[in-house]
């Protein structure tokens, strides 16, 4: 069994006996080369599962070494997500069109038909989207709390107010999409909230919060309670 790869050169010598009829004792040498190749192996495969997202460009790759000549890659089991293709060089690329979990096996074959296989899974998430449709109105000085919710996407989300402004007295949490505080002024406030995930997918929606003045009934003392007069 060969212990190392490379090209090994050697000579074979043939010597004719001198004491036989028609033999002149001629010496003949011939040089030979014996190539020892490393076995074909897949040395790099995507960590399973690989994350993708509907509508977001995707790329991952397998890599092989050893063997002879060039490699040909083929899909031998399972299926890729719609919109993805396996190239001759072992790269998988495209834009996924359908969410789901796709498990498959690829095979690398060299020019002498040796082959090796590897299996992985691509999980395609639905496209990131903001699900909250509207925010409730409130009144000046009243505690307010609302969360803008999202669905789909991959990994952590980062929120931002892209345009417009919140009513004075309200704060927006970039990590959670939550709006809290006590509005200080009346009015109708229009603003756009955006969200981004770890694959740089983006979604945005415009909201309006209407802040009304506190009613007289809310400013009056509650029933059974008398105003406190200074002594």
């Amino acid at each position: 069994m060969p212990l190392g790869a490379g090209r090994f050169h050697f000579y074979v010598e043939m010597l004719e006996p001198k004491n036989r009829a028609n033999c002149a004792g001629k010496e003949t040498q011939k040089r030979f080369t014996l190539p020892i190749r490393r076995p074909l192996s897949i040395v790099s495969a995507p960590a399973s599962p690989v994350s993708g997202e509907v509508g977001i460009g995707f790329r991952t790759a397998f890599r092989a070494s050893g063997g002879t000549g060039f490699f040909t890659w083929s899909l031998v089991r399972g299926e890729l997500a719609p919109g993805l293709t396996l190239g001759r060089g072992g790269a998988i690329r495209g834009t996924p069109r359908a969410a789901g979990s796709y498990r498959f096996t690829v095979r690398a074959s060299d020019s002498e038909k040796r082959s090796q296989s590897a299996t992985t899974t691509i999980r395609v998430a639905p496209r990131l989207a903001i699900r909250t449709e509207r925010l409730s109105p409130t009144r000046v000085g009243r505690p307010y709390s609302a969360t803008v919710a999202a669905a789909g996407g991959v990994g952590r989300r980062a929120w931002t107010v892209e345009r417009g402004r919140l009513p004075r007295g309200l704060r927006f949490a970039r990590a959670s999409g939550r709006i809290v505080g006590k509005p200080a002024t009346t009015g109708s406030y229009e603003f756009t909230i955006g969200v981004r995930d770890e694959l740089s997918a983006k979604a945005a929606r415009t909201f309006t919060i209407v802040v009304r003045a506190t009613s007289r009934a809310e400013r009056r003392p509650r029933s059974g309670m008398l105003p406190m007069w200074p002594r």
Side-chain angles (χ1 to χ4, degrees):
M1 177 183 294
L3 299 179
R7 296 177 63 85
F8 299 91
H9 307 285
F10 59 95
Y11 290 86
V12 174
E13 181 180 83
M14 183 179 70
L15 179 62
E16 294 180 345
K18 295 183 178 180
N19 56 355
R20 291 188 178 182
N22 300 321
C23 292
K26 182 179 178 181
E27 295 181 4
T28 304
Q29 288 185 344
K30 187 170 183 178
R31 185 175 183 267
F32 293 88
T33 299
L34 177 64
I36 303 295
R37 304 178 182 89
R38 290 182 295 123
L40 173 64
S41 63
I42 295 178
V43 296
S44 178
S48 185
V50 188
S51 295
E53 185 173 342
V54 172
I56 300 298
F58 178 91
R59 188 186 188 282
T60 190
F62 294 85
R63 188 168 63 87
S65 69
T68 303
F70 60 89
F71 304 124
T72 301
W73 295 85
S74 58
L75 184 68
V76 295
R77 190 178 301 112
E79 61 178 357
L80 299 176
L84 300 184
T85 58
L86 172 65
R88 292 179 60 88
I92 296 174
R93 56 167 57 92
T95 303
R97 298 195 301 266
S101 182
Y102 301 87
R103 183 175 176 82
F104 57 92
T105 300
V106 300
R107 176 182 293 157
S109 302
D110 68 8
S111 57
E112 293 182 347
K113 305 304 181 184
R114 298 180 180 88
S115 65
Q116 287 289 334
S117 299
T119 299
T120 194
T121 299
I122 296 176
R123 289 182 182 168
V124 181
R127 182 63 181 264
L128 178 66
I130 293 177
R131 294 303 185 199
T132 302
E133 295 183 355
R134 62 182 61 87
L135 297 174
S136 61
T138 187
R139 293 186 183 276
V140 170
R142 178 181 294 178
Y144 186 86
S145 177
T147 299
V148 180
V154 174
R156 293 184 177 180
R157 300 170 182 145
W159 297 83
T160 184
V161 177
E162 294 185 350
R163 290 186 296 274
R165 62 187 179 91
L166 298 178
R168 187 163 60 88
L170 297 186
R171 304 181 305 278
F172 183 71
R174 294 173 58 91
S176 63
R178 190 180 180 197
I179 301 171
V180 295
K182 292 182 179 181
T185 54
T186 60
S188 179
Y189 298 86
E190 184 177 277
F191 50 91
T192 299
I193 289 180
V195 62
R196 182 189 297 263
D197 68 9
E198 290 184 358
L199 296 185
S200 295
K202 297 186 293 182
R205 178 165 286 184
T206 299
F207 297 94
T208 299
I209 294 180
V210 176
V211 182
R212 301 186 178 95
T214 303
S215 67
R216 290 184 179 180
E218 290 177 303
R219 292 196 297 264
R220 291 173 186 166
R222 285 178 290 177
S223 177
M225 297 182 63
L226 297 175
M228 298 294 293
W229 299 102
R231 295 181 179 178

